[in-house]
Structures are given as structure tokens and as C-alpha cells.
Amino acid sequence: MLTYAAGSGAARLDVASRENILERFRSLATAALLHPNADIYLSSGGLDADLQENTRLSCELAFREGDPESRRVVHRVLHDLYDLQLCKPRPGLTANQHSIELLRVRRQIETSWMGWEVSRLGALPTNVSAEDIGDAIKTLWRKHPGHNHAVFDFMNAEASKDQIVKYFTTDYALNMRFYDLITLSLVGIDEDVRMEVAHNFWDEMGQGDPTRTHVRLYRDLLEYLRIEDTPEAFVDALGWEGLSGYNLLLYFAFNRREYFRSIGALAITELSDPEQYAKLLKGCRRVRIGNDRPSVLDYYSEHVEVDALHGDGWIDNVIVPILRRYPQEARAVLEGAMMRLNSSKAYWDWQLAEMKAVAPAQRPPLVVVS
């Protein structure tokens, strides 16, 4: 049971109790993930009920009580649980991909988290037809407070080189995983929408050129900026906002019941990238990132050019045909779009604060020559 201390106006969770709950949850989940067989480890030690209870309490703190640190811890564990489905195929993999106990933890987190996400959806259009879904999605996007977010205006006009470099490190996780998301979105889909998704996949693969895959292009940028490619460190540095945005798209991809929300979320991703990345590129050139080697910015410049086509293509060639077949799912498509918009705004708010916390490089004092 949660322990509360008296506070002004409302009950407040005792800080020590909160920290104990989170540490127990994190340590149990991590130990299970690292063990060769999580189910045996948890059941033989009588720890399975302990993990489930601390998962429940941590989710209450994160999503009912709104504690940011709890939300970060819960989403970090969920990130690692999702990684069981995405880790590279290597000898000696553990049996934990389908661990019953870890799947229970994952489902408990997802249920609590989705309840919170649904609670902040706000009003959405009703009775939207397949033919009108494109306008409905674009209206949600343009009217959302995250549209034309200040983080991109900041990079365009004000940010120092060090501040823009900070953006690249925080943008790493999802960019490096987008290939997998597109691949997962191909599984089991209807034949008449495969071609559009396949075009997205082919672009991710550099249209057959191994030096032009999007993962390779992003690594080229990191190498140019002399940023060490340390995935674990990049993920550890994210707040709950970045972890939540990453987890949202993976949650949709891994849960077949969320397919219709998934295509709405991916539509927003394709629509929003061109405008935002155009501002980012102007900022890079202003601080002379890539001026001596323009190709290092190709990851972002290609998204400006290609995603301008993918946005409408995704709506016209994926969402519209699907809603003609399943018109009752229009609400789910819009929910996915709104969840993606909400998570993106929270992430960009966090990114902007992180970038502004980076002290701009000091300019040398002017020397007066007499």
C-alpha cells in the first residue's frame, strides 16, 4: 500500500517510500532481464508476486500520481522489455523473449500507461469518413500546440553548435529504430496497401545502396561530429518524454489490436518531419555544421524531400483504403494521431529545455588594435 505524508491541500507520497518502490521495481525487473531464465529466477526466489506488486505501485506513481521520475523509470523498464523483441540475433540469447512474468509486467505497464494517454486525448472529430480522414488528421496536426514547435525555430535562428549537437544525441533512439517500425508495419497487412509501406521500407534501406540507408546516414553524422555511438548512454540520458515517444510507436507495432492507432501515429510522423527538419538544416548551416561536407546532413535533408511525398502517400494509399474496408476504425486512427502529437510535444518541450541548458561556447574577447 502507498504511504502518504500530510501536505498542504492534498495527500503527498512520502519521498523515501516512493524511492523504495521505484528502486525495488527497477532492480527486480533488471535482474530478471539479465538472468538466463527470468521465469525460473522469479518463481524459484518467490519474487514474482513482489515484482508484480512493485510494478503496480510504480505505475500508480507514474500515471495516477503524475510523478515524472516514476514515469521515467517505468518507461525505461518498458524500453528494455520491448528490446527483448528487437535485440540482434546472436548466439546464446536467453529464453526471456516470451517470459510469462515479464510479459505480465509489460502488460501491466501498457494498460496503466494507455489509460493515462486516453485520458488526455481531448475532443476528437466524430463520424469521419475514409474520404475525409486526411483533412481530419491534418487539422489535428495544424491545430495542436506542438505544431511548429519552438525547438525547431530555436535551432533555426538562435541555437549554438553545441546546442544543436545536443539535439542529435537526444534524437538518436527513435531514428535508429525507425527501420524496425516500418518493417513491423508490413506484417500481416492487406495486399492493396503493401506497396506504399514497401516504398517507405525501401527508402529506409537507401533504395538498395548500403551507404545510403537511413541508419548509415545518421551514423555518418555522428562520426562527423565526433559523437561516440553509445546507444545505452543515449537512452539513459532521455527523460520520460523521449522514452514515452519511443515506446509509443513500439507499443503500437507490437500489439496487433493497436494497428489502426499505429497508422494514424505514423501519418503524423510523415507529415511533420519535412517542415521541422527544414528549419533544423538551416540552423546547422548557420553554425557551419556540414558546410565543409554537406552530405553529412543527408539523413535530415532526405527526410525533407522524401517525407513530403510519404505524408500524403501514407494517408491516400494506406489509411483511406483501410478505412473504406473498416470505417468503424476512424476513431482509432485519430486517437493514434493525437497520441503521437501529444508525445511529440512533450518530447520537444524536454529537448528545448535540455538544449538551452547547454552553455553556448564562449567567444574570445575582441582585441583592440591601436
Side-chain angles (χ1 to χ4, degrees):
M1 177 179 288
L2 295 178
T3 303
Y4 291 90
S8 58
R12 185 169 56 87
L13 180 69
D14 178 79
V15 173
S17 298
R18 184 197 70 189
E19 290 176 351
N20 288 340
I21 290 166
L22 293 176
E23 181 54 35
R24 185 62 174 163
F25 165 62
R26 178 168 35 200
S27 62
L28 282 171
T30 301
L33 280 161
L34 293 175
H35 196 275
N37 192 308
D39 290 341
I40 290 175
Y41 166 75
L42 291 167
S43 61
S44 63
L47 301 173
D48 43 357
D50 194 1
L51 176 56
Q52 292 301 318
E53 178 63 4
N54 280 280
T55 301
R56 183 186 68 79
L57 293 173
S58 296
C59 286
E60 282 193 21
L61 291 171
F63 304 115
R64 193 190 74 181
E65 304 299 330
D67 177 57
E69 176 59 16
S70 302
R71 206 172 288 163
R72 190 189 69 80
V73 170
V74 168
H75 271 296
R76 185 64 173 86
V77 169
L78 185 58
H79 169 282
D80 293 346
L81 291 171
Y82 284 155
D83 205 46
L84 290 172
Q85 315 301 317
L86 294 167
C87 58
K88 294 184 183 298
R90 296 285 187 266
L93 288 179
T94 71
N96 291 336
Q97 180 181 3
H98 299 294
S99 158
I100 297 300
E101 295 302 331
L102 292 179
L103 284 170
R104 283 197 182 106
V105 171
R106 174 179 143 185
R107 187 68 187 124
Q108 192 165 11
I109 294 172
E110 289 174 343
T111 300
S112 184
W113 170 37
M114 278 299 111
W116 179 75
E117 289 286 0
V118 169
S119 74
R120 66 192 192 119
L121 281 173
L124 293 174
T126 58
N127 301 317
V128 177
S129 69
E131 282 62 37
D132 293 333
I133 193 68
D135 288 340
I137 290 172
K138 290 176 183 179
T139 299
L140 285 182
W141 167 47
R142 293 186 181 116
K143 289 187 175 181
H144 195 274
H147 184 244
N148 285 328
H149 196 279
V151 70
F152 298 101
D153 292 324
F154 177 67
M155 286 190 285
N156 182 20
E158 300 177 48
S160 68
K161 179 178 179 180
D162 289 344
Q163 289 169 324
I164 293 177
V165 168
K166 175 68 174 179
Y167 172 88
F168 293 138
T169 65
T170 60
D171 209 32
Y172 175 95
L174 191 55
N175 289 342
M176 298 299 279
R177 191 57 81 189
F178 209 77
Y179 159 85
D180 296 301
L181 287 167
I182 294 297
T183 302
L184 288 167
S185 71
L186 276 163
V187 177
I189 61 175
D190 293 321
E191 291 182 23
D192 58 344
V193 302
R194 286 179 186 168
M195 194 58 70
E196 182 66 33
V197 186
H199 282 153
N200 278 249
F201 171 81
W202 193 233
D203 287 335
E204 284 291 321
M205 291 301 296
Q207 298 187 357
D209 183 347
T211 69
R212 301 289 301 172
T213 69
H214 287 183
V215 168
R216 181 64 261 169
L217 292 178
Y218 203 78
R219 287 204 169 106
D220 288 345
L221 175 59
L222 295 180
E223 289 170 8
Y224 171 82
L225 294 170
R226 298 181 182 177
I227 299 171
E228 187 178 356
D229 189 353
T230 53
E232 195 74 9
F234 291 148
V235 172
D236 283 341
L238 290 174
W240 73 263
E241 300 89 343
L243 291 167
S244 176
Y246 174 95
N247 285 341
L248 183 72
L249 293 179
L250 287 177
Y251 166 74
F252 288 155
F254 286 142
N255 291 279
R256 301 305 291 168
R257 66 184 176 278
E258 297 290 5
Y259 176 72
F260 301 101
R261 282 178 173 170
S262 180
I263 59 177
L266 288 171
I268 290 296
T269 303
E270 302 287 6
L271 285 169
S272 59
D273 280 353
E275 284 185 19
Q276 294 159 175
Y277 287 171
K279 292 178 181 179
L280 167 59
L281 288 169
K282 288 180 182 177
C284 287
R285 294 173 186 127
R286 177 178 54 78
V287 298
R288 306 191 64 78
I289 293 175
N291 285 10
D292 58 332
R293 192 173 137 206
S295 63
V296 299
L297 294 173
D298 281 359
Y299 174 86
Y300 288 100
S301 61
E302 185 161 313
H303 280 78
V304 171
E305 298 162 5
V306 172
D307 284 1
L309 301 174
H310 281 325
D312 284 331
W314 192 266
I315 291 170
D316 295 339
N317 301 323
V318 177
I319 294 177
V320 170
I322 286 173
L323 289 188
R324 284 178 181 151
R325 190 172 293 117
Y326 311 110
Q328 71 276 16
E329 298 299 337
R331 167 80 187 190
V333 171
L334 294 173
E335 286 179 350
M338 183 58 82
M339 287 183 189
R340 176 65 172 153
L341 287 166
N342 289 341
S343 68
S344 295
K345 181 187 182 299
Y347 173 49
W348 293 329
D349 288 346
W350 175 84
Q351 272 188 322
L352 183 58
E354 288 288 301
M355 290 166 65
K356 288 186 174 182
V358 174
Q362 295 294 315
R363 294 183 179 180
L366 294 175
V367 177
V368 179
V369 180
S370 57

